[in-house]
Every structure is written in C-alpha cells, then in structure tokens.
C-alpha cells in the first residue's frame, strides 16, 4: 500500500531536470588559482556597500520605519519603490509588481501565462535559466535564432504564418546573454505587433539594460506600452544578486493574476530588503544613475581589456565583436577543426574557466552555439583578464602540439 | 486571431480565487479608533530592533561578509543558519531548506508532493492561508475535525479505511490557528504512522511552536524522524513577518526535489536577510531562547488579560479555554440564537474588529466554526484588549435591545 517515495513526486516538482552543463561549469573544481570567467555577476567593488550600510543604519534607527519593515507588506510590493520604478519605466505604478529578482519575475510570468505543455519561442542561443524557469510549465520550445540585431522576428513571423502556435516568446533585448547583441528598435515594435496579432505574450528579460558602453538605446516603450508584453527587470546587476529584489512591468490585466499567484507562493518580497533598497534609490534622485555610470565605466574598461588581450594573444582564434554593454563576450571560434570540449579541458588545465557555448543552445541540432565561448569579464580585474587570455592562448597551443 | 486577455490566463494562475472572508475582515475599514484583533502577528515591541540594528551594522562593516551577503547563494540556504536550525530540530543540516517564510514553505511542499486535482486532508477549522497555498495544485480537500487534542487522527484513519485516498494531510500541531489546541504526542505518532502506512505526506505547519505559556511540549520528533513528514517553520513570529525567512525540515528524499523547484521559483532566499538572521541567532547561543522567553511572557500576559476581561464583561457569552500558547483565542458562542454576522456588524460599529469563525471552516456545511470568533491578542496592549472587550459587550447588549 505504501507508494515508493519517488512515485509520489508527481506534482510540479516532477520532471524538473537536474541542472547540467551551464551549472556544472560553475561547479567545475579547477585549481584554486584558476581564473573564472563564469557568471554574469557584478564586480564586488562596483556594489555600493557603504551606501547600503548607511541606508540600513537609518532604517533601524527610525522606530516607525523599522516597525514597518518588520511587518507583513503587500504582495504588490513597496509603494515607494514601485513609484520610483514606474517613473523610470514611464508607466502607472499599479503596473509594477515587485519580485524576488529577475528569475522570480520570469517564473511568475511563465506560471501566469504558459499553460502546461504549451510551446514557447525562445532565443537561440538562450539564457539556460529561462529554460529552467519554463520547466515549471513546459519543455516545448520553438528556438528562434539571435542574429546581429537580436531575436529574429522575421523567422518567428514565418513560423507563425506556417501555423506554429506559441503561448509566449522570450528574449533578452539589451546586451543579450550570451550573444551580446541588442534588439533593434524596429524589431522591438515588430515583435510586440506579432504578439498582439497572434495573441501570445512576449517575456522581455532585461537585467543588463542599464549597462550600456556604446551604441544607442533602442528603448523599452514598445514593451511598456503593449498589453502583450511582460517586462522583467532586477536590481541584481547594480545592487547585487544577494538582495533578490526585482520587478515586473505588467499589462494592466495581468497585475491581479500575478499578485494573486505571488501571494500564494511566498506572500510578498521581504519588506526589509525592499525598505533598504527604497532608501538607497530614493534618497537622492541622481544616486542610482551615478551608480550605473560608475559600474558601466568599470565594465566598459574590463570588456576592452579582454577584447584587446584576445586580439593580441589569439589574433586568429576568434571572431570578436566588441560589446556595447552588459557583462558578456561571445567570441566565435574561427577554426572549425578546434574541438570546443577538448579546448575547454585544456583551458581548465591551464587555469582558466569559462562557459562553453553548447550550454546555451536552444536547438542543439544547429550546432552554432557550440562554436562560441562565453566569457564574463565583470568580476575579474584587468590583470586577471589578461592572465586568463594568456592561459587560454597556452591551451590553444597545447591543442596544436597534441 | 487575437485571444482575449483572460482566455490566455490558462496557466497556474488560472482558477486562483480572489481572497475573501478572512482577508476582507482584515480590509474592513472601521473607524480609525477601532481596535483590531485580527492578525496573528507579533507585537512590535517584542521584536528585537536594536539587536537587528547591531547585527546589520556589523554585517555591512565587515567587507568580506558584506560581499558574501550581496552575492548569489545556495537555493539550499545559508549553511550557518541551517546548522543552527538543524541542531534545534535534531536533524542533519542537509535536511533543512531555507524558505521565504512559512507560507512559502507550505507552497513548496504542496508543489512538490500534491498532484493537480489530488485530495488533501486538512484541519477543520483550518488556517485559510493553507487553502490558498493548496490552490496552486488542487481545491479537493477532506476536512478533518480539530478536537480537544488536535487533528482527529482516528477520523482520518476511518476515512482511509473506507477507501479515501489523499496526497497529504495538513495540520498546525502547536497552538492551532484558529482553534488554540495542540496535537497530543500520541496523535503525532499516530498521524505519522498513518502516513507511512497509506503512503501520503503530512504537512506540519508549526509557526507558533516557540510560544508556549503552559502545558507540556508534545515534541516534534515524530515529524522530524519520519520519511513522510514535511515540517514547516518560520522566523516570522519572533523576528517579524517582514523578513520572509523560514525553513523546512524535509525527509532526505525530498531535499533535492524541493531545492530544484525552489531554484526555479526565485533561485534562493535573500542572502542579505539570511546573513542578518544568522548573525542574530548564532552570535550568542542563548539569545534566541531569551527572545522567545520575553515574547512568550508578553503574549501570556495579554492572553490572560483578554480571557479575564471576557469572563468579567461577558461571563455567559462564550465557552472559553485559556490558551496554552500561540497568538489566538477561539471562544465559542454559547447562545445558539446569536447571529454571528449580525454580532460582527455591531462589533465593528462599536469599534472592535476580529475574525469571524466561518472564514476558518474547511467544511462550511458543518457550521461549527461559524459559532466561534477568533481573537488575536498578540499585538494589542492590555488596555486595548480590555477596551475591546467592553466594546464587544456593548455590541452584545445592542443585540439584546434590537
């Protein structure tokens, strides 16, 4: 009569795959001296620890504010924080719902609009975290190539015209993870038009938006003005991943369903973290932009160091595009005879670790992602980046002689 | 071709009911001078704001600790905090998974072990929040009466013997919400035996456990020793709801599934809140028990004031049991001719608000919960509690003359 334990795991948790690839690379245990170019995480020195300390101290010294921070609050999120965000997003504060960071925003979107087993169009290459989030509803995906100006809207339009039906389309529009590129303004409008025409939602994952080095902002108005777009953002890249504070910009008709679901999942985001973040960003109207400016300058410099070092030490190994922003470089191996898995093993042996392109393939059959490497430069110093490239160069040379 | 927006809400969020009753009572807008006996929330003066301020200041002044708190951390949760909790729970730290508070623990449990549409046995009366959490998987419930020594295990055993099949059974074993009572040690063992025999899980919701005024601790070993029990707890009642930090004690075989699901939902609980809570509870081995002792003394006193005032001003109106702990009084109307809804309206008019018993009915047909009122005394001063009872007494008298 007793069921075996695993036979009882028949609920939502069933069928969630064990993390692999992408996460395993993060778990690779190379020499302690190895240089890791792995995660899209902010540089510790770019995080405003002193300002956080001051904001925290003010909070706990203010008896009323402290009492409020320790109480239950609304699943919708802190009104002060939502007002501040709404002004920047150019929308009514009602349409902002606070989340526990970007991944939470993605999962809330998926659980709200994706029926179990439905098909969702996704970037190819794709941020693997979205596929994990998507697994709570479906594993059926329609890979859409990411080209020089981002998600290939025409490709999707053709598939829809042929009869393909999707619940949603997912893309990272600014400084794509992993493919660096940004979606052009025209294609932003085109994607939203397609969603309105065919009745699906676009899930817009936008954590790197504030980190522009070069090029022109392609704008988020098409997303924020559409009834068919869910715009996901987070404080992770500027204030640190540890907070778990982010937000959704939702169409009006999705605000109540998302709040209702969200209230079920964990009631609301921490009132404490929201209170501290609210103090940080609202105390001085320019503070957040200054923070973004400082962080962006740092990342621009590091991206430049990495690109220069690759051009110096491995001049023919990669096709490289200088990043216009964000945290990633996505160089393509020029020599089709190079085995990326063997190169990775030699790189680990030489003391440098990165993400292999194959882990970002939405359509593993196409093989194109596997010809890329993903380097994250944000949390490595210039010296580390130069040394990482020297080690990578030695891994290439080891391949030549083996 | 465009679907209407609501027709697209076909995913998990579909079918989640609008909050009603229980929540509406919290939203009732009586005179600003009304005394609210509504929520099971800690008294602000029982929360350790000064200690929190000190722990926060230490965190942000310690560069390494600050950097760690701002980084991504494990979906499993802070190792230091899990070790501390594991020692208190008497289990291996691996079996502790940190959550965003008790409600999050309940929902993670439901999403992990309850198939959509399955039946779950629940307390009757029941904490309505659990029914909301359950809605993410099912609305099919088997109400089990809560009697003088808690969840009626014999009743459930009889239903199972008759052929009823359930995925899980839910109860609050210590200082039941709303029914005050605690589950006897013998019935704890009996419930777990039943779960092991029939292959379901017990979901044990235990937020009030540390708040004992009187009586003997009935122990949690049966839950923590069973492969069939998920033991849900939270720091909410002693450190404040605003943190959103709680934990699960899981059977070994559920640790990985819960972590995998949890990682999908929002990656991990805030590293910042976990770091502060860890500093608070681990800096001094006795601190948390002292905090619990102080809070418990405060709530014991308030419970006594409320019971005494009811006995003085409304000696015949209720059957009252003095609480042995927790945050609630669940008096039963003695006069079957009193209409609870009319009484509530008169009470609001007289300036006192409480939760009506009917909102806690798992089986509304039985009508027994509706004969009760739920008073929360934790966050009202003794003077407020006495005045609340005087107002309630006037509401009773208004009923006599109308």
């Amino acid at each position: 009569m007793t069921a075996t334990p695993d036979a009882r795991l028949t609920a939502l948790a069933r069928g969630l795959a064990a993390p692999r690839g992408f996460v395993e690379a993060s778990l690779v245990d190379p020499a302690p001296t190895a240089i890791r170019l792995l995660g899209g995480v902010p540089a510790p020195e770019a995080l405003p620890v002193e300002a956080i300390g001051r904001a925290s101290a003010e909070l706990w010294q203010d008896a009323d504010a402290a009492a409020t921070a320790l109480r239950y609050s609304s699943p919708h999120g802190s009104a002060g924080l939502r007002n501040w965000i709404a002004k920047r997003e150019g929308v009514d504060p009602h349409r902002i719902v606070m989340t526990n960071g970007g991944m939470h925003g993605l999962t809330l979107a998926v659980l709200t609009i994706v029926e179990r087993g439905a098909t969702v169009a996704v970037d190819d290459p794709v941020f693997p975290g979205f596929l994990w989030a998507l697994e709570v509803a479906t594993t059926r995906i329609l890979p859409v190539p990411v080209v020089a100006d981002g998600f290939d809207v025409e490709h999707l339009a053709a598939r829809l015209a042929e009869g393909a039906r999707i619940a949603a389309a997912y893309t990272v529009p600014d400084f794509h993870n992993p493919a660096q590129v940004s979606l052009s303004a025209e294609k932003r409008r085109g994607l939203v038009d397609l969603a309105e025409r065919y009745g699906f939602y676009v899930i817009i994952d936008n954590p790197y938006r504030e980190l522009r080095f070069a090029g022109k902002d392609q704008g988020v108005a098409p997303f924020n003005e559409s009834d068919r777009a869910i715009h996901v953002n987070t404080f992770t890249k500027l204030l640190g991943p540890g907070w778990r504070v982010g937000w959704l910009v939702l169409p009006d008709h999705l605000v109540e369903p998302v709040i209702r679901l969200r209230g079920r999942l964990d009631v609301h985001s921490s009132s404490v973290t929201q209170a501290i973040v609210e103090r940080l960003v609202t105390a001085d109207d320019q503070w957040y932009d200054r923070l973004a400016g400082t962080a962006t300058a740092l990342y621009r410099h590091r991206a430049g160091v990495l690109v220069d070092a690759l051009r110096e030490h491995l001049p023919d190994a990669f096709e490289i595009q200088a990043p216009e922003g964000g945290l990633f470089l996505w160089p393509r191996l020029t020599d089709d005879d190079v085995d990326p898995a063997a190169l990775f093993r030699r790189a680990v042996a030489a003391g440098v670790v990165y993400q292999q392109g194959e882990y970002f393939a939405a359509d593993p059959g196409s093989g194109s992602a596997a010809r890329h490497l993903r380097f994250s430069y944000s949390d490595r110093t210039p010296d580390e980046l130069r040394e990482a490239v020297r080690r990578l160069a030695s891994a290439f040379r080891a391949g030549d002689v083996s």
Side-chain angles (χ1 to χ4, degrees), chain A:
Chain A
M1 190 171 286
T2 302
T4 64
D6 283 341
R8 303 291 308 182
L9 298 180
T10 53
L12 189 61
R14 177 174 67 175
L16 297 180
R20 57 180 183 276
F22 183 66
V23 165
E24 280 166 9
S26 306
L27 300 178
V28 158
D29 200 16
T33 54
I35 299 172
R36 293 160 176 266
L37 309 177
L38 284 171
V41 296
E45 59 271 39
L47 299 176
V49 177
E50 275 185 41
I52 293 167
R54 280 195 304 275
S56 292
E58 285 167 23
L59 172 67
W60 299 119
Q61 282 154 19
D62 175 340
D64 287 346
T68 301
L70 292 177
R71 269 203 285 272
Y72 283 113
S73 59
S74 148
H76 205 149
S78 147
L81 204 43
R82 289 193 297 110
N83 287 340
W84 182 85
I85 292 166
K87 216 168 143 187
R88 295 175 73 91
E89 296 281 4
V91 302
D92 188 276
H94 178 71
R95 292 179 49 204
I96 308 295
V97 174
M98 299 307 300
T99 67
N100 302 336
M103 185 78 172
H104 191 220
L106 296 177
T107 308
L108 288 172
V110 166
L111 289 173
T112 303
I113 60 159
V114 181
E115 177 81 19
R116 275 196 180 189
T119 299
V120 173
V122 302
D123 287 328
D124 185 19
V126 65
F127 165 52
F130 179 71
L131 300 186
W132 302 336
L134 192 58
E135 268 193 289
V136 298
T138 187
T139 54
R140 290 207 185 108
I141 58 171
L142 171 62
V144 174
V146 174
V147 292
D149 58 350
F151 185 93
D152 192 342
V153 176
E154 286 308 309
H155 178 99
L156 177 60
R159 298 296 309 270
L160 292 166
E162 290 162 15
R165 286 300 170 266
I166 58 175
Y170 167 80
T171 191
V172 178
D174 286 314
F175 320 120
H176 189 273
N177 177 9
Q180 301 181 207
V181 298
S182 292
L183 190 65
S184 69
E186 190 187 348
K187 286 170 76 176
R188 288 171 197 230
R189 186 67 63 187
L191 179 56
V192 161
D193 286 349
L194 217 50
E196 291 171 358
R197 182 140 46 98
Y198 285 91
F200 63 86
Y201 287 93
V202 293
I203 300 175
I204 299 297
D205 188 8
N206 218 351
Y208 313 109
R209 172 182 165 197
E210 307 278 359
L211 304 175
R212 175 174 297 282
F213 313 156
K216 190 173 169 294
D217 184 359
Q218 302 298 304
V220 293
F223 309 133
N224 288 349
E225 289 166 3
S226 172
D227 241 24
R228 286 285 157 187
I230 299 177
H231 189 192
V232 182
N233 216 312
T234 179
F235 285 109
T236 284
K237 305 304 172 186
L238 287 175
L239 298 184
W243 293 100
R244 311 316 301 137
V245 181
W247 68 91
L248 294 167
V249 187
L250 290 168
D252 263 322
H253 70 275
L254 291 182
V255 171
E256 287 309 320
V258 168
I259 287 177
R260 210 172 279 175
L261 171 64
R262 201 272 134 91
R264 254 72 168 196
L265 293 179
D266 63 351
V267 193
H268 60 76
S269 293
S270 169
S271 321
V272 173
T273 55
Q274 288 186 85
I276 299 171
V277 171
E278 182 183 336
R279 270 174 193 256
L280 280 171
V281 299
T282 61
D284 164 357
D285 246 11
Q286 310 301 313
W287 181 82
Y288 195 68
D289 288 326
R290 284 200 306 274
L291 179 73
T294 307
T296 300
L298 185 80
Y299 300 143
R300 179 197 291 121
H301 178 63
R302 291 179 176 191
V305 166
L306 176 60
V307 168
D308 289 349
L310 287 166
R311 286 182 174 149
E312 180 186 340
H313 294 286
L314 289 161
D316 305 316
F318 297 109
E319 281 170 25
I320 294 178
Q321 199 182 353
E324 294 200 326
L327 307 177
F328 305 112
L329 191 73
W330 181 242
R332 188 181 176 284
L333 290 163
T334 47
D335 182 350
D336 288 347
D337 291 337
V338 171
D339 170 2
L343 176 64
F344 181 73
R345 286 193 298 272
R346 292 195 305 270
V348 172
V352 58
V353 192
Y354 52 83
Q355 293 285 3
Q356 299 178 75
E358 64 171 295
Y359 299 141
F360 301 88
D363 177 8
S366 87
S368 60
R371 305 307 305 164
H372 288 260
L373 284 58
R374 195 193 77 173
F375 297 135
S376 172
Y377 45 76
S378 50
D379 59 341
R380 296 283 77 93
T381 64
D383 282 349
E384 287 174 324
L385 292 169
R386 288 186 200 100
E387 175 61 20
V389 172
R390 281 190 288 268
R391 294 178 185 183
L392 186 67
S394 80
F396 265 90
R397 286 193 301 274
D400 290 341
V401 297
S402 71

